[in-house]
Amino acid sequence: MLGLSETMQVECVWCLLLLMLLTGCAKPENSPAGEPATSALPITPLAFVDVAPDAGLGAFEHIDGSEDRFWFPEKMGAGGGFVDINGDGWHDVVLVGGGQLSPSGPADVRALWLFLNNKDGQFTDATEAWGLADVRAYGTGITAADYDNDGDQDVYLTTFGKNLLFRNEGTRFEEVGEAAGVALPAAWSSSALFFDADRDGHVDLYVPGYADWSLETDIDCHRSGGRPDYCPPATYPSAKSYFYHNNGDGTFSEETAQRGFADAPGKALAVAEWDFNRDGWSDVMVVNDGQPDLLYHNNGDGTFTERGTVSGIAFGEHGEARAGMGIDIGVVDSTRRPSVFVGNFSSEMVGVYRQMESGWFVDRAAASRIGGASLTTLAFGVLLFDADLDTDLDLYVANGHVYLDPLDGSAYRQPPHLFINQGNGTFKDMADTIGGVLTQPMLARGVASADYDRDGDVDLLVTENSGPVHLLRNDSQRGRVVRVRLSQPAHNPDALGAHVWAVVQGAEPQQRRVRTGSGYLSQSEQVLTFGLGTATHIDSLVVQWPDGQIDRFEGLPAEHEIHLRKGAGTVDQTPLPVRRLPATDS
């Protein structure tokens, strides 16, 4: 483990990475003896199985509040995700139930559902036991983090109305949104993001606003043949987005204008965090529906400057604002620079923007071979993960239309995409080839990832609008893996904002960040997964902690989940179940 002085922290991280690349491919002294450190080979076949009903999630159904009136919020769906609620190391499932839009609509709808992980592939409905059964709100999305630094995960529910913050008391939740200062003003909020904007060790909260709609201002809209249908988003004004600064005492202060977020055009649906300029401070990317997308650059003090247009990422390739829904960010090729993936409307393609060294973003939708394949689908949740653990990131896209009879000829219910990275930043849609649940038409909205069964590979949770939830267990014939959990004492215990590089011999360096947000209305796990292909270990792993401190670890063995704690190094190494490798692995 290597520690650097504070004055060298930010400046030397990329120098250290270069040194690691030049020297890290040699077999470390503590690597497994007698085994070559070979790496990336094609890992096949891929397989995903929907086990939601058998796993105990079958009772859930999202309620959109419809009354045959085509209320505008009905079509946008709800999120969900994976959160380790009770801190046992096994990810539980939290789902947004929907709700009631008018007094005459569906009543007695649970706003939230909580299913605890039984550690055997099954879940138990613990909504009532944790004090959530009586919560009523028209929920949209969730995000989770330890906002009060007490060692457990708290849950924030965005809604069409007053947002709710559920403080984790260890065995129950207490709703403290108003007391904490993050409930009001009542509005239509979408995805949300916990992150430490000013690196003070207390995670802050960014809450995007979508549209200004109410029953009183609802407009009757019609489609082909005069049939009533949902209005397009441009029919209604935009809602404001808000930034809440964590005061460190369990409360937040609304500081949207002071921090540089006040001029957002609105209709925001998703938000993601990344350090785009590699200065050690979190930047924020916001995806808007029919408005320019936004890139907020952190000025190095927790204030932000919006640079979406000047960075080339605000608009589509023809200069148009697209109907952005979901977002994810990751390094997918040998440039070692992040690419931003944005789910857009049918006929608009999934957006793929790679950042260049200059900071400018280049549209690679066509070059990546994702654009053409996504022209006829409407993408909501987008999610990067290494499906087969062959060392590079793949892309899952959750699809489903919002109009009953789309005028562009696309389908209402749509199957997902699973774009497999060909190792060079180009992708091939393998959903039809894999078959099964990946060919099932859905009104999909959110998608989240976690290794819920702790067998080493990454599983998916997919929500549907006015429908069930799908738990896609990953049964692929996978490569080897190292899973890394980061923590730090006292402040920001989850290490949100940490950036991690992993070097595996024969493969491009992998980069991951510990973060909330991304996707669409949903929460993924914060444990980091590094696919190794057929390699037996990670040669070098470099952690840039949220405050800029850099640590280096060597010879991390495959098929383990490793807990790294700031200041303590390796806390524990838990073996993963033995899984069969491809026939090419001798």
Side-chain angles (χ1 to χ4, degrees), residues 391-465:
T391 76
D392 51 33
L393 290 173
D394 311 300
L395 180 72
Y396 182 94
V397 182
N399 299 314
H401 222 287
V402 295
Y403 297 124
L404 297 174
D405 56 346
L407 298 180
D408 57 11
S410 56
Y412 182 52
R413 295 182 177 273
Q414 301 174 355
H417 297 294
L418 180 56
F419 292 106
I420 299 300
N421 196 329
Q422 302 301 289
N424 57 2
T426 65
F427 294 79
K428 182 179 181 180
D429 189 1
M430 296 292 291
D432 283 344
T433 302
I434 298 167
V437 68
L438 297 188
T439 60
Q440 179 178 335
M442 301 180 186
L443 287 181
R445 295 298 185 256
V447 56
S449 63
D451 179 15
Y452 82 91
D453 51 3
R454 296 192 68 170
D455 65 350
D457 52 30
V458 180
D459 311 295
L460 303 178
L461 187 79
V462 182
T463 65
E464 281 203 68
N465 191 53

Side-chain angles (χ1 to χ4, degrees), residues 254-272:
E254 189 268 303
E255 298 183 0
T256 310
Q258 299 94 308
R259 299 297 178 130
F261 292 108
D263 294 331
K267 293 215 172 64
L269 283 175
V271 59

Side-chain angles (χ1 to χ4, degrees), residues 62-79 96-102 106 137-141 158-161 187-190 209-221 229-237 239 267-269 289 325 380 401-403 412 443-445 464-467 520-521:
H62 174 250
I63 305 299
D64 66 4
S66 61
E67 303 176 55
D68 297 324
R69 288 292 305 274
F70 296 95
W71 302 122
F72 185 45
E74 292 172 9
K75 62 183 179 179
M76 302 308 291
V96 181
Q100 185 181 34
L101 283 172
S102 77
Y138 193 91
T140 51
T158 56
T159 75
F160 179 75
W188 184 351
S189 302
S190 55
Y210 184 53
D212 185 4
W213 177 94
S214 67
L215 293 175
E216 293 73 26
T217 61
D218 182 72
I219 299 172
D220 289 332
C221 292
D229 208 336
Y230 298 106
C231 294
T235 308
Y236 299 100
K267 293 215 172 64
L269 283 175
D289 187 359
M325 267 72 78
F380 273 89
H401 222 287
V402 295
Y403 297 124
Y412 182 52
L443 287 181
R445 295 298 185 256
E464 281 203 68
N465 191 53
S466 190
Y520 176 75
L521 306 178

Side-chain angles (χ1 to χ4, degrees), residues 244-276:
Y244 301 94
H245 178 254
N246 193 327
N247 299 321
D249 59 1
T251 69
F252 294 77
S253 296
E254 189 268 303
E255 298 183 0
T256 310
Q258 299 94 308
R259 299 297 178 130
F261 292 108
D263 294 331
K267 293 215 172 64
L269 283 175
V271 59
E273 181 270 355
W274 195 269
D275 180 9
F276 286 105

